[in-house]
Every structure is written in structure tokens, then in C-alpha cells.
Amino acid sequence: MAQKKGITSVSYASRILRLTTLSPEIQKAIIDGRSLGGLMLADFMKPFPLLWSEQKKALGIPED
């Protein structure tokens, strides 16, 4: 899939695909353009927990 999109770095492709493991709540906030405590794409490239219940705390996203 990465090759079809012109992505030559396996590492980059795996970091991008990891974004699909973000909780639906976080994904919706991103799509809706809501603030996530100043997080940028680079912040999501770092490892984060796979458990949705732990992601907001680990990423420093303020509770609603």
C-alpha cells in the first residue's frame, strides 16, 4: 500500500498506520478540528498506548 502511494520509508508508513489505533473520540476531535491541547501530527508519531482508555492521559489531552 505504501509503495502505491509513493511512500518509500517503511518506518514512516508504520507510524502513519498506527494512527488508525487512536480512539474514535480522538479521531473525531481531529476530524472536527477541535483542540487537543496543542498537539501536532509529530506528537502522534511518538509511541502511545493502544488502550483507548489510556490514550488521552498519555498524550496529555485535557478531559472534556
Side-chain angles (χ1 to χ4, degrees):
M1 182 168 83
Q3 288 176 342
K4 285 185 178 185
K5 295 295 182 183
I7 299 171
T8 57
S9 170
V10 174
S11 173
Y12 178 76
S14 66
R15 286 180 285 158
I16 292 295
L17 286 173
R18 188 176 63 234
L19 295 176
T20 64
T21 65
L22 283 170
S23 74
E25 179 184 1
I26 295 173
Q27 289 183 29
K28 184 165 177 18
I30 292 168
I31 290 168
D32 292 347
R34 286 186 276 134
S35 174
L36 293 173
L39 290 172
M40 305 293 283
L41 178 60
D43 298 310
F44 292 103
M45 295 292 106
K46 300 170 190 166
F48 54 81
L50 293 178
L51 290 175
W52 293 347
S53 60
E54 297 176 10
Q55 287 180 355
K56 286 177 91 173
K57 181 178 180 183
L59 291 167
I61 298 171
E63 293 294 326
D64 298 329

